């Protein structure tokens, strides 16, 4: 075990330690420039998806809105509550600015990776769709790269399907026990049963559950933050000034100054919104849309919701209060967020935060499960294996909830996610010309007056796309 921990520790150092974050930042900036700031260009179209209940007018399909909410439910989690607090504690208020910056370039990265997943998706026997980076590698780069797709799939199952779900179970059980005094055993049983009911219904039931849970948790948390902001409206200019001054080292808040702000902001921002990590494209591929770029734009919006909206809510709640003291030690993570909310709104707010953590973590569990299922079905179509995987997820969620120390068993999760991200970025780089080709097609149709562009499979006949998935009537 010690040998394995050492090996995975080295992998973690090689990926998250020095290579992955700079690559994600540089590549995100490159995509932003190469696409002509596409995330700004189509900002208005992003918001329209919220009002389109089902873009395809087909209740049997996953709509763009439902795919958005599933991915938001996965991206939004403990990092939005505890992670932001850690970033501010270690990097100062300036870390918030760099979280915003990485979200901006991450929106472009997410648009490209999710558009590619859409283009190469395959139609399933039940009339739905499956896809993701593994499928894009297999059909976009060719069968000779199948080994790379398998590496990606294994890493996705290990990191998201198994490891991160144990941590989410732990998060929920710990929050419920600390705030409500409910024993971890009962929380574990309830969490496993509810999760099992949803995941055994497949992506359609996951999408329906997310359509209910995600708006409640996101809107509720944002409204709470808005109340805090309105109560301290006169202090907003000074907080924004502090964020900018600290971000560029003009006002040092912690040891390390500007360097600490950049490092913490970028790291926490990437962990939170997952842009470029290769997770969200698996959900993006399930949507029934007219053009791949449409879903790419929608998924870019999920990065905006995660970091620009939700993470900013936590940041303002902390920075507008007196609990956080720059450079002080002793309180960070979820405790800092919790005490800051109590400072503004009173003791009842800690129970509200517990509910938010519970919903955030639960939405992440069903999202993580689907990522694992999608990777599993890429490697095998066995129904028995799928049922076994679903039962294993229920067991892992229960184990993570009742035995906090059990999460240490999944020490390989972060290193595996690091490999996953590098494989995904390599695939994006190699398929980037295809993404630009899709974007040109989308822009040309808009220029010709087509309000809702449609992908014509004949225009991409040289690529190994599933023509059944792009018959011209998607929506």
């Amino acid at each position: 075990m010690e040998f394995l921990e050492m090996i995975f520790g080295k992998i973690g150092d090689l990926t998250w330690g020095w290579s992955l974050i700079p690559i994600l930042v540089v590549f995100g900036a490159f995509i932003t420039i190469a696409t002509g700031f596409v995330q700004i260009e189509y900002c208005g179209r992003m918001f329209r998806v919220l009002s389109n209940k089902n873009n395809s007018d087909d209740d049997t399909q996953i709509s763009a809105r439902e795919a958005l909410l599933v991915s938001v439910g996965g991206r939004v989690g403990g990092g939005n509550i505890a992670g932001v607090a850690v970033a501010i504690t270690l990097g100062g208020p300036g870390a918030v600015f760099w979280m915003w910056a990485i979200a901006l370039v991450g929106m472009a990265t997410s648009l490209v990776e999710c558009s590619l997943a859409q283009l190469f998706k395959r139609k399933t026997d039940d009339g739905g769709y499956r896809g993701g980076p593994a499928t894009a590698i297999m059909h976009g780069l060719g069968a000779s790269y199948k080994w790379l797709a398998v590496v990606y799939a294994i890493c996705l199952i290990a990191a998201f399907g198994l490891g991160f779900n144990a941590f989410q179970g732990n998060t929920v059980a710990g929050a419920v026990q600390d705030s409500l005094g409910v024993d971890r055993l009962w929380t574990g049983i309830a969490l496993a049963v509810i999760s099992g009911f949803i995941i055994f219904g497949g992506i359609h039931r996951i999408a329906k559950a997310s359509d209910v849970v995600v708006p409640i948790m996101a809107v509720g948390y944002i409204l709470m933050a808005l109340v805090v902001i309105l109560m301290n409206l006169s202090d907003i200019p000074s907080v924004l000034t502090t964020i900018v001054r600290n971000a560029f080292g003009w006002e040092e808040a912690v040891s390390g100054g500007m360097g600490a702000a950049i490092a913490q902001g970028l790291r926490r921002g990437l962990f939170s919104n997952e842009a470029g990590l290769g997770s969200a494209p698996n959900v993006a591929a399930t949507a029934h849309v007219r053009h791949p770029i449409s879903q790419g734009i929608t998924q870019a919006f999920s990065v905006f919701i995660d970091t620009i909206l939700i993470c900013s809510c936590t940041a303002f709640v902390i920075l507008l209060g007196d609990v956080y003291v720059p450079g002080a030690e002793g309180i960070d993570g979820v405790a800092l967020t919790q005490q800051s909310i109590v400072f503004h709104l009173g003791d009842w707010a800690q129970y509200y935060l517990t509910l938010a953590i519970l919903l955030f973590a639960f939405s992440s569990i069903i999202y993580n499960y689907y990522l694992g299922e999608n990777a599993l079905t890429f490697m095998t179509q066995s129904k028995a294996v799928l049922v076994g995987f679903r039962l294993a997820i229920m067991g892992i969620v229960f184990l993570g909830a009742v035995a906090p120390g059990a999460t240490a068993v999944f020490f390989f999760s972060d290193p595996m996610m690091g490999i996953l991200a590098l494989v995904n970025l390599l695939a994006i780089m190699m398929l980037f010309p295809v993404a630009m080709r899709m974007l040109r097609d989308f822009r040309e149709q808009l220029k010709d007056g087509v309000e809702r562009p449609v992908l014509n499979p004949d225009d991409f006949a040289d690529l190994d796309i599933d023509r059944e998935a792009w018959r011209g009537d998607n929506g």
Side-chain angles (χ1 to χ4, degrees):
M1 183 64 72
E2 289 181 2
F3 176 75
L4 287 176
E5 289 183 0
M6 181 190 72
I7 294 296
F8 281 103
K10 293 293 185 183
I11 294 173
D13 291 339
L14 289 173
T15 53
W16 291 111
W18 63 272
S19 63
L20 190 53
I21 291 178
I23 290 173
L24 283 165
V25 173
V26 171
F27 192 54
F30 166 76
I31 293 177
T32 296
I33 295 170
T35 58
F37 288 81
V38 65
Q39 67 271 53
I40 305 298
E41 179 182 3
Y42 295 126
C43 184
R45 298 184 75 92
M46 293 179 190
F47 287 88
R48 294 182 203 172
V49 73
L50 295 176
S51 61
N52 295 339
K53 185 68 176 178
N54 193 313
N55 290 4
S56 65
D57 298 322
D58 184 349
D59 290 336
T60 66
Q61 298 290 350
I62 303 298
S63 70
R65 179 178 183 272
E66 288 172 332
L68 168 70
L69 292 176
V70 173
S71 61
V72 168
R75 295 182 200 265
V76 176
N80 299 79
I81 296 177
V84 175
V86 171
I88 292 174
T89 301
L90 299 179
V96 178
F97 176 89
W98 296 109
M99 288 181 69
W100 292 338
I102 196 60
L104 180 63
V105 298
M107 288 170 70
T109 306
S110 186
L111 186 149
V112 169
E113 65 176 347
C114 292
S115 296
L116 288 169
Q118 263 286 324
L119 179 66
F120 292 105
K121 69 184 180 184
R122 316 322 266 185
K123 195 159 190 176
T124 59
D125 294 338
D126 63 0
Y129 306 102
R130 279 192 185 275
T135 304
I137 291 170
M138 184 70 180
H139 297 281
L141 299 179
S144 60
Y145 285 90
K146 183 177 180 179
W147 65 272
L148 191 64
V150 171
V151 169
Y152 168 89
I154 292 173
C155 290
L156 191 65
I157 293 171
F160 285 87
L162 301 179
F164 292 156
N165 270 342
F167 292 118
Q168 295 296 347
N170 189 346
T171 298
V172 173
V176 172
Q177 184 179 50
D178 293 342
S179 295
L180 305 178
V182 178
D183 190 88
R184 285 178 173 268
L185 175 64
W186 300 113
T187 302
I189 292 173
L191 202 56
V193 170
I194 297 172
S195 298
F197 172 75
I198 293 175
I199 65 179
F200 269 91
I203 183 59
H204 287 278
R205 192 172 293 170
I206 290 172
K208 298 302 179 186
S210 297
D211 204 18
V212 174
V213 173
V214 174
I216 292 175
M217 74 179 194
V219 173
Y221 193 67
I222 291 171
L223 286 176
M224 180 204 66
L226 284 175
V227 170
V228 172
I229 290 171
L230 290 173
M231 290 170 59
N232 300 273
L233 200 57
S234 61
D235 294 329
I236 294 297
S238 63
V239 168
L240 291 173
T241 300
T242 299
I243 289 173
V244 174
R245 289 179 62 84
N246 180 239
F248 292 96
W250 301 331
E251 179 181 296
E252 186 158 331
V254 294
S255 177
M258 181 179 174
I262 294 175
Q264 289 302 318
L266 296 183
R267 178 181 290 271
R268 297 298 168 180
L270 289 169
F271 263 106
S272 178
N273 63 50
E274 299 179 15
L277 300 188
S279 49
N282 294 274
V283 174
T286 66
H288 189 65
V289 294
R290 291 171 175 261
H291 199 287
I293 296 295
S294 295
Q295 183 59 16
I297 293 170
T298 299
Q299 290 298 321
F301 187 43
S302 72
V303 175
F304 177 89
I305 293 172
D306 172 89
T307 308
I308 304 299
L309 291 184
I310 307 294
C311 286
S312 295
C313 285
T314 302
F316 280 112
V317 165
I318 292 172
L319 296 176
L320 285 169
D322 290 342
V323 178
Y324 167 69
V325 178
E329 298 180 358
I331 177 172
D332 58 14
V334 70
L336 175 56
T337 306
Q338 186 177 47
Q339 291 187 29
S340 295
I341 290 176
V342 170
F343 171 82
H344 292 294
L345 303 176
D347 289 339
W348 67 271
Q350 65 180 316
Y351 301 109
Y352 186 95
L353 182 62
T354 299
L355 176 62
I357 293 173
L358 194 154
L359 292 176
F360 285 4
F362 179 72
S363 65
S364 293
I365 287 172
I366 57 179
Y367 167 83
N368 291 341
Y369 158 76
Y370 180 72
L371 299 186
E373 178 195 295
N374 198 42
L376 189 67
T377 54
F378 173 79
M379 295 189 292
T380 176
Q381 298 296 316
S382 171
K383 298 293 185 183
V385 172
L386 180 58
V387 170
F389 179 69
R390 288 172 173 173
L391 291 173
I393 293 298
M394 294 174 63
I396 286 169
V397 169
F398 175 78
L399 183 64
V402 301
T407 57
V409 176
F410 298 99
F411 58 84
F412 55 80
S413 299
D414 281 350
M416 294 294 268
M417 185 169 70
I419 298 174
L420 174 86
L422 289 177
V423 171
N424 180 60
L425 288 172
L426 176 62
I428 295 175
M429 291 176 188
M430 297 176 74
L431 291 171
F432 188 65
V434 176
M436 290 299 293
R437 184 174 160 188
M438 282 190 290
L439 185 57
R440 283 193 298 271
D441 178 66
F442 188 83
R443 282 172 168 159
E444 287 171 2
Q445 291 191 49
L446 288 178
K447 186 177 180 181
D448 292 339
V450 179
E451 175 62 24
R452 298 172 66 189
V454 178
L455 181 87
N456 182 353
D458 292 336
D459 294 337
F460 295 83
D462 57 309
L463 301 177
D464 183 17
I465 64 173
D466 184 356
R467 297 180 70 86
E468 277 294 302
W470 298 106
R471 294 176 304 181
D473 63 349
N474 287 14

